[in-house]
Amino acid sequence: MSEVLYTPSDERVAGCRLTRYRRWLAETRGLDFGTYDDLWAWSVADLEAFWASLWEWCEIRAAAPYDRVLGSRAMPGAEWFPGAELNYADHAFRRPDDETAVLFRSEHRPPGQLTFGQLRQRTAEVAAGLRGLGVGPGDRVVAYAPNVPETLLAFLATASLGAIWSSCSPDFGATAVLDRFRQIEPKVLVAADGHVFKGVEHDRREVVRRLVAELPTVESTVTIPNLGLEEGGVTFDDLAVTGAGFEPVPVPFDHPLWVLYSSGTTGLPKALVHGHGGILL
């Protein structure tokens, strides 16, 4: 018989999300599941009841309600929550304004942090700048940038407009990035001038120039001066519209939120689309 290495305390079990969800189901639905297996069996036997309960449990905010949970069971192509209109970014700032949302550390930039209130305001300002560049629902905004606050802000702003986000790390070469971004015909490119790894600066401006030259659909390029290198064009700070209000655009439940990619080991990387509502739930 195997030795049990860890058992959570009764207090930890009582406070975990799964326990709270089971308690909520008993209180609001009259459903009492004694074990995890019992809950799982219900979740796959009654799909509509399970996902409707998650919608309510997660407090999803919608500008328009759904007509039904599962509009079509066809596979592939099942239709979830038809009629619903919402926005992923509308749910990103539900914590208190003064609560810390981002803690940033870098090899070469000063430490920083953003509260949820600051994150929402800066997202609104970047979204207004993107809107000024003509970005709207369905347009693609792509980033060639490291994991810095500007990249997060650009994503949330893109999502709030109903535009579609995609990104590649700046340690990718130009060909690898083009193999991905060409497939989705981006309208705006957000690009860092470079990044630092183990104390070494990597200037990526030449790669960015090639991306601009070989992505004919790109109408605007926004530079993140991560290394502070001189480069023409619009910078991230130039883009932001000071004092803009946060105005998330409602989109259908399955409206594309972002595009990820497979590794590309058996051909061109395959684009994988995730929707606003699916990622929320």
Side-chain angles (χ1 to χ4, degrees):
M1 184 175 179
S2 299
E3 179 186 359
V4 176
L5 298 178
Y6 168 75
T7 300
S9 66
D10 291 343
E11 182 181 18
R12 189 173 183 86
V13 170
C16 80
R17 289 182 178 179
L18 184 58
T19 301
R20 288 188 280 118
Y21 173 57
R22 288 168 56 187
R23 188 183 305 124
W24 179 83
L25 284 174
E27 293 171 353
T28 64
R29 302 290 200 276
L31 298 171
D32 188 8
F33 300 107
T35 68
Y36 174 87
D37 288 341
D38 294 336
L39 175 59
W40 172 83
W42 171 70
S43 75
V44 296
D46 195 343
L47 291 176
E48 296 201 30
F50 170 69
W51 287 105
S53 76
L54 275 191
W55 179 287
E56 187 176 344
W57 164 253
C58 295
E59 299 181 341
I60 300 299
R61 294 198 297 244
Y66 58 84
D67 300 324
R68 60 178 300 178
V69 173
L70 194 51
S72 169
R73 290 175 176 261
M75 289 295 289
E79 181 188 28
W80 290 94
F81 296 99
E85 292 188 355
L86 41 68
N87 191 292
Y88 171 93
D90 191 30
H91 295 73
F93 313 106
R94 297 198 296 184
R95 300 288 186 90
D97 279 357
D98 60 354
E99 187 173 320
T100 300
V102 175
L103 288 171
F104 174 67
R105 296 293 183 269
S106 166
E107 290 188 55
H108 68 293
R109 288 170 56 174
Q113 66 182 53
L114 292 170
T115 65
F116 278 94
Q118 291 170 327
L119 186 65
R120 181 179 59 247
Q121 182 56 45
R122 292 193 62 185
T123 295
E125 294 170 349
V126 175
L130 289 174
R131 191 183 297 113
L133 297 178
V135 174
D139 290 327
R140 277 75 67 200
V141 176
V142 297
Y144 182 63
N147 193 14
V148 292
E150 293 91 338
T151 310
L152 172 62
L153 289 165
F155 157 62
L156 290 170
T158 297
S160 76
L161 296 173
I164 303 166
W165 174 260
S166 191
S167 67
C168 284
S169 168
D171 58 6
F172 278 35
T175 299
V177 178
L178 290 166
D179 283 347
R180 290 159 172 79
F181 288 170
R182 277 186 181 130
Q183 298 184 55
I184 61 172
E185 300 181 333
K187 188 171 191 174
V188 172
L189 169 66
V190 179
D193 55 1
H195 67 287
V196 175
F197 182 67
K198 291 186 176 180
V200 178
E201 290 192 355
H202 298 270
D203 184 343
R204 309 306 279 168
R205 289 178 295 173
E206 186 56 42
V207 174
V208 174
R209 283 191 281 269
R210 182 178 166 191
L211 297 181
V212 173
E214 298 189 34
L215 290 171
T217 60
V218 169
E219 298 177 6
S220 304
T221 301
V222 179
T223 301
I224 298 175
N226 191 46
L227 299 183
L229 302 175
E230 291 295 328
E231 188 73 11
V234 177
T235 68
F236 199 81
D237 287 340
D238 294 334
L239 177 70
V241 178
T242 303
F246 183 59
E247 302 174 2
V249 176
V251 295
F253 182 88
D254 60 357
H255 184 83
L257 172 63
W258 56 49
V259 180
L260 311 178
Y261 303 90
S262 66
S263 63
T265 53
T266 58
L268 284 178
K270 298 170 184 65
L272 312 171
V273 182
H274 292 177
H276 278 245
I279 291 299
L280 277 175
L281 286 181

